[in-house]
Protein backbone atom coordinates (compact mmCIF):
# COMPACT_ATOMS: atom_id res chain seq x y z
CA UNK A 1 0.00 0.00 0.00
CA UNK A 2 2.85 2.31 0.89
CA UNK A 3 4.62 1.47 -2.43
CA UNK A 4 1.43 2.06 -4.48
CA UNK A 5 1.10 5.57 -3.03
CA UNK A 6 4.71 6.36 -3.90
CA UNK A 7 4.18 5.21 -7.51
CA UNK A 8 1.00 7.26 -7.80
CA UNK A 9 2.74 10.39 -6.54
CA UNK A 10 5.59 9.89 -9.04
CA UNK A 11 3.07 9.31 -11.82
CA UNK A 12 1.26 12.55 -11.06
CA UNK A 13 4.58 14.43 -10.88
CA UNK A 14 5.63 13.06 -14.28
CA UNK A 15 2.29 13.92 -15.85
CA UNK A 16 2.55 17.44 -14.40
CA UNK A 17 6.06 17.92 -15.80
CA UNK A 18 5.03 16.76 -19.30
CA UNK A 19 1.99 19.03 -19.26
CA UNK A 20 4.12 22.00 -18.16
CA UNK A 21 6.76 21.35 -20.85
CA UNK A 22 4.24 21.08 -23.67
CA UNK A 23 2.48 24.23 -22.48
CA UNK A 24 5.81 26.07 -22.48
CA UNK A 25 6.66 24.84 -25.97
CA UNK A 26 3.26 26.03 -27.16
CA UNK A 27 3.67 29.47 -25.68
CA UNK A 28 7.25 29.75 -27.04
CA UNK A 29 6.02 28.91 -30.52
CA UNK A 30 3.22 31.45 -30.12
CA UNK A 31 5.70 34.12 -29.04
CA UNK A 32 7.86 33.41 -32.07
CA UNK A 33 10.94 32.20 -30.18
CA UNK A 34 10.89 28.74 -31.74
CA UNK A 35 10.06 30.15 -35.18
CA UNK A 36 13.14 32.37 -35.12
CA UNK A 37 15.35 29.41 -34.17
CA UNK A 38 14.14 27.42 -37.14
CA UNK A 39 14.92 30.33 -39.46
CA UNK A 40 18.63 30.33 -38.73
CA UNK A 41 20.73 30.84 -41.84
CA UNK A 42 18.16 32.89 -43.74
CA UNK A 43 18.55 36.56 -44.64
CA UNK A 44 17.16 37.79 -41.31
CA UNK A 45 19.80 36.08 -39.22
CA UNK A 46 22.76 35.85 -41.63
CA UNK A 47 25.94 37.79 -40.92
CA UNK A 48 26.22 41.08 -42.77
CA UNK A 49 28.72 41.13 -45.64
CA UNK A 50 31.01 44.08 -46.36
CA UNK A 51 33.37 44.32 -49.33
CA UNK A 52 36.51 46.36 -48.70
CA UNK A 53 38.23 47.55 -51.85
CA UNK A 54 41.83 48.72 -51.31
CA UNK A 55 42.34 51.04 -54.29
CA UNK A 56 45.12 50.47 -56.87
CA UNK A 57 47.86 47.84 -56.37
CA UNK A 58 50.66 46.16 -58.31
CA UNK A 59 51.91 48.38 -61.11
CA UNK A 60 49.36 51.06 -60.25
CA UNK A 61 50.69 52.88 -57.15
CA UNK A 62 47.86 55.43 -57.03
CA UNK A 63 48.93 58.79 -55.57
CA UNK A 64 52.54 59.24 -54.51
CA UNK A 65 53.09 61.12 -51.25
CA UNK A 66 55.47 64.00 -50.52
CA UNK A 67 57.81 61.53 -48.82
CA UNK A 68 57.41 58.88 -51.48
CA UNK A 69 54.58 57.00 -49.75
CA UNK A 70 52.54 54.96 -52.18
CA UNK A 71 48.78 55.18 -51.94
CA UNK A 72 48.33 51.48 -52.82
CA UNK A 73 50.31 50.40 -49.71
CA UNK A 74 48.44 52.66 -47.29
CA UNK A 75 45.10 51.58 -48.80
CA UNK A 76 45.93 47.90 -48.30
CA UNK A 77 47.21 48.36 -44.74
CA UNK A 78 44.06 50.21 -43.65
CA UNK A 79 41.87 47.66 -45.48
CA UNK A 80 43.48 44.66 -43.74
CA UNK A 81 43.06 46.30 -40.32
CA UNK A 82 39.46 47.15 -41.16
CA UNK A 83 38.84 43.53 -42.14
CA UNK A 84 40.05 42.39 -38.69
CA UNK A 85 37.85 44.84 -36.83
CA UNK A 86 34.78 43.86 -38.87
CA UNK A 87 35.38 40.17 -38.28
CA UNK A 88 35.63 40.79 -34.52
CA UNK A 89 32.16 42.33 -34.86
CA UNK A 90 30.74 39.25 -36.63
CA UNK A 91 30.71 40.86 -40.05
CA UNK A 92 31.93 38.89 -43.07
CA UNK A 93 34.59 41.01 -44.76
CA UNK A 94 35.62 40.35 -48.37
CA UNK A 95 38.65 42.13 -49.83
CA UNK A 96 39.02 42.76 -53.55
CA UNK A 97 42.78 42.25 -53.07
CA UNK A 98 44.80 41.06 -50.07
CA UNK A 99 48.28 41.77 -51.42
CA UNK A 100 50.17 44.23 -53.57
CA UNK A 101 48.73 43.26 -56.90
CA UNK A 102 46.48 44.76 -59.55
CA UNK A 103 43.36 42.97 -60.69
CA UNK A 104 43.68 43.18 -64.45
CA UNK A 105 45.02 40.17 -66.37
CA UNK A 106 48.68 40.60 -67.41
CA UNK A 107 49.14 42.10 -70.87
CA UNK A 108 45.56 43.30 -71.20
CA UNK A 109 45.10 46.40 -73.34
CA UNK A 110 42.72 48.35 -71.14
CA UNK A 111 44.37 47.65 -67.85
CA UNK A 112 42.59 50.20 -65.70
CA UNK A 113 39.26 49.16 -67.16
CA UNK A 114 39.80 45.43 -66.67
CA UNK A 115 41.07 46.08 -63.12
CA UNK A 116 37.85 47.94 -62.34
CA UNK A 117 35.69 45.26 -64.00
CA UNK A 118 37.34 42.57 -61.88
CA UNK A 119 36.69 44.59 -58.71
CA UNK A 120 33.02 44.90 -59.73
CA UNK A 121 32.81 41.16 -60.36
CA UNK A 122 34.21 40.35 -56.88
CA UNK A 123 31.72 42.78 -55.35
CA UNK A 124 28.75 41.29 -57.22
CA UNK A 125 29.69 37.74 -56.25
CA UNK A 126 29.94 38.68 -52.55
CA UNK A 127 26.37 40.12 -52.52
CA UNK A 128 27.41 42.64 -49.87
CA UNK A 129 25.32 44.86 -47.62
CA UNK A 130 27.73 47.66 -48.44
CA UNK A 131 31.06 48.39 -50.11
CA UNK A 132 33.89 50.62 -48.91
CA UNK A 133 36.62 51.58 -51.37
CA UNK A 134 39.74 52.87 -49.58
CA UNK A 135 41.84 55.62 -51.19
CA UNK A 136 44.20 58.49 -50.40
CA UNK A 137 43.93 61.92 -51.93
CA UNK A 138 46.38 64.42 -53.41
CA UNK A 139 46.20 68.08 -54.41
CA UNK A 140 48.50 70.63 -56.00
CA UNK A 141 48.31 72.84 -52.89
CA UNK A 142 50.00 71.07 -50.03
CA UNK A 143 48.05 72.97 -47.36
CA UNK A 144 44.91 70.99 -48.22
CA UNK A 145 44.25 68.06 -45.87
CA UNK A 146 41.48 65.94 -44.31
CA UNK A 147 39.36 62.91 -45.06
CA UNK A 148 36.40 62.94 -47.40
CA UNK A 149 33.76 60.37 -48.31
CA UNK A 150 32.05 60.15 -51.71
CA UNK A 151 28.79 58.46 -52.64
CA UNK A 152 26.81 58.01 -55.85
CA UNK A 153 24.58 61.03 -56.31
CA UNK A 154 21.24 59.20 -56.45
CA UNK A 155 21.98 56.59 -53.75
CA UNK A 156 20.17 57.46 -50.53
CA UNK A 157 21.79 54.57 -48.65
CA UNK A 158 25.21 55.51 -49.98
CA UNK A 159 24.61 59.06 -48.80
CA UNK A 160 23.61 57.92 -45.29
CA UNK A 161 26.72 55.72 -45.03
CA UNK A 162 28.96 58.52 -46.36
CA UNK A 163 27.58 61.03 -43.86
CA UNK A 164 28.07 58.64 -40.93
CA UNK A 165 31.68 57.96 -41.96
CA UNK A 166 32.41 61.63 -42.64
CA UNK A 167 31.20 62.56 -39.17
CA UNK A 168 33.35 59.86 -37.59
CA UNK A 169 36.48 61.38 -39.11
CA UNK A 170 36.28 63.69 -36.07
CA UNK A 171 37.95 60.89 -34.14
CA UNK A 172 41.11 61.04 -36.25
CA UNK A 173 41.00 64.67 -37.37
CA UNK A 174 39.41 66.42 -34.40
CA UNK A 175 37.88 69.84 -35.04
CA UNK A 176 39.93 70.06 -38.25
CA UNK A 177 37.36 67.77 -39.88
CA UNK A 178 35.39 70.40 -41.81
CA UNK A 179 34.69 68.51 -45.01
CA UNK A 180 31.29 67.21 -46.05
CA UNK A 181 30.36 63.90 -47.62
CA UNK A 182 30.12 64.58 -51.35
CA UNK A 183 27.99 63.24 -54.21
CA UNK A 184 29.78 62.03 -57.32
CA UNK A 185 28.56 60.60 -60.62
CA UNK A 186 31.68 59.61 -62.52
CA UNK A 187 33.82 57.26 -60.37
CA UNK A 188 33.71 53.88 -62.07
CA UNK A 189 32.79 51.87 -58.97
CA UNK A 190 30.13 54.35 -57.87
CA UNK A 191 28.56 54.08 -61.32
CA UNK A 192 28.69 50.31 -61.66
CA UNK A 193 28.06 48.85 -58.20
CA UNK A 194 24.37 48.53 -57.30
CA UNK A 195 24.85 48.04 -53.54
CA UNK A 196 25.46 51.05 -51.26
CA UNK A 197 29.08 52.03 -51.91
CA UNK A 198 31.33 54.82 -50.71
CA UNK A 199 34.82 55.94 -51.67
CA UNK A 200 36.73 56.84 -48.52
CA UNK A 201 39.60 59.24 -49.21
CA UNK A 202 41.38 58.96 -45.85
CA UNK A 203 43.67 61.95 -46.27
CA UNK A 204 46.00 63.95 -48.54
CA UNK A 205 49.40 62.49 -49.39
CA UNK A 206 50.30 65.95 -50.73
CA UNK A 207 50.06 67.44 -47.21
CA UNK A 208 53.36 66.78 -45.34
CA UNK A 209 51.94 66.18 -41.87
CA UNK A 210 48.97 64.11 -43.04
CA UNK A 211 51.23 62.08 -45.33
CA UNK A 212 53.55 61.41 -42.37
CA UNK A 213 50.57 60.36 -40.22
CA UNK A 214 49.10 58.09 -42.87
CA UNK A 215 52.41 56.27 -43.05
CA UNK A 216 52.32 55.22 -39.38
CA UNK A 217 50.69 52.01 -38.22
CA UNK A 218 49.04 53.79 -35.31
CA UNK A 219 47.24 56.29 -37.56
CA UNK A 220 46.29 53.58 -40.06
CA UNK A 221 44.82 51.62 -37.18
CA UNK A 222 42.80 54.59 -35.91
CA UNK A 223 41.54 55.15 -39.45
CA UNK A 224 40.49 51.50 -39.76
CA UNK A 225 38.78 51.60 -36.35
CA UNK A 226 36.93 54.79 -37.34
CA UNK A 227 35.64 53.30 -40.60
CA UNK A 228 34.68 50.09 -38.76
CA UNK A 229 32.66 52.05 -36.17
CA UNK A 230 30.87 53.95 -38.95
CA UNK A 231 30.03 50.73 -40.79
CA UNK A 232 28.64 49.18 -37.59
CA UNK A 233 26.50 52.27 -36.94
CA UNK A 234 25.13 52.07 -40.49
CA UNK A 235 24.45 48.31 -40.30
CA UNK A 236 22.69 48.66 -36.96
CA UNK A 237 20.44 51.34 -38.42
CA UNK A 238 19.72 49.48 -41.64
CA UNK A 239 19.07 46.11 -40.00
CA UNK A 240 17.07 47.42 -37.03
ZN1 LIG B 1 43.17 56.24 -55.30
Amino acid sequence: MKQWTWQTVMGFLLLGAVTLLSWQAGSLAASGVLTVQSREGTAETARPVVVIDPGHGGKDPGKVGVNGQLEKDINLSIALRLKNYLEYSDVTAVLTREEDTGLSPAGGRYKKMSDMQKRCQIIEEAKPDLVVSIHQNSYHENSIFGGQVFYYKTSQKGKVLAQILQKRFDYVLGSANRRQAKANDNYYLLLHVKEPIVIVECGFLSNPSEAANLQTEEYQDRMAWTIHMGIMEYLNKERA
Side-chain angles (χ1 to χ4, degrees), residues 35-60:
T35 321
V36 170
Q37 280 175 350
S38 70
R39 268 206 235 141
E40 254 177 20
T42 61
E44 287 89 348
T45 53
R47 286 160 61 114
V49 177
V50 170
V51 173
I52 309 164
D53 172 48
H56 314 282
K59 286 179 183 163
D60 172 15

Side-chain angles (χ1 to χ4, degrees), residues 120-131:
C120 281
Q121 187 193 330
I122 293 169
I123 291 166
E124 291 310 314
E125 283 170 7
K127 299 185 175 33
D129 291 82
L130 65 96
V131 184

Side-chain angles (χ1 to χ4, degrees), residues 94-234:
V94 176
L95 264 70
T96 53
R97 66 177 177 101
E98 298 204 26
E99 47 196 38
D100 181 19
T101 170
L103 281 92
S104 61
R109 195 169 165 205
Y110 297 104
K111 278 194 164 174
K112 190 68 185 170
M113 183 61 78
S114 59
D115 176 282
M116 285 294 158
Q117 285 168 345
K118 181 69 183 167
R119 287 174 205 259
C120 281
Q121 187 193 330
I122 293 169
I123 291 166
E124 291 310 314
E125 283 170 7
K127 299 185 175 33
D129 291 82
L130 65 96
V131 184
V132 177
S133 185
I134 309 280
H135 287 262
Q136 312 303 318
N137 222 331
S138 183
Y139 198 60
H140 58 85
E141 287 172 36
N142 66 9
S143 60
I144 301 297
F145 70 98
Q148 190 158 30
V149 188
F150 295 86
Y151 59 93
Y152 188 59
K153 62 175 182 178
T154 57
S155 170
Q156 269 312 306
K157 289 186 173 185
K159 185 177 183 181
V160 169
L161 175 60
Q163 286 174 336
I164 289 173
L165 289 171
Q166 186 71 50
K167 189 152 194 319
R168 284 192 176 263
F169 272 135
D170 288 355
Y171 178 64
V172 273
L173 297 165
S175 57
N177 176 25
R178 302 237 165 79
R179 295 179 181 279
Q180 303 284 316
K182 201 172 174 185
N184 178 287
D185 62 0
N186 58 40
Y187 284 172
Y188 186 92
L189 287 183
L190 293 185
L191 273 168
H192 291 88
V193 171
K194 62 179 190 297
E195 290 84 5
I197 173 170
V198 289
I199 310 271
V200 181
E201 299 271 9
C202 303
F204 283 79
L205 292 177
S206 46
N207 178 269
S209 81
E210 201 160 56
N213 277 338
L214 284 163
Q215 208 173 7
T216 69
E217 291 191 359
E218 194 243 335
Y219 196 85
Q220 290 169 0
D221 202 60
R222 285 173 69 186
M223 190 58 75
W225 174 256
T226 301
I227 298 169
H228 151 257
M229 289 299 285
I231 290 173
M232 295 316 293
E233 183 183 335
Y234 172 86

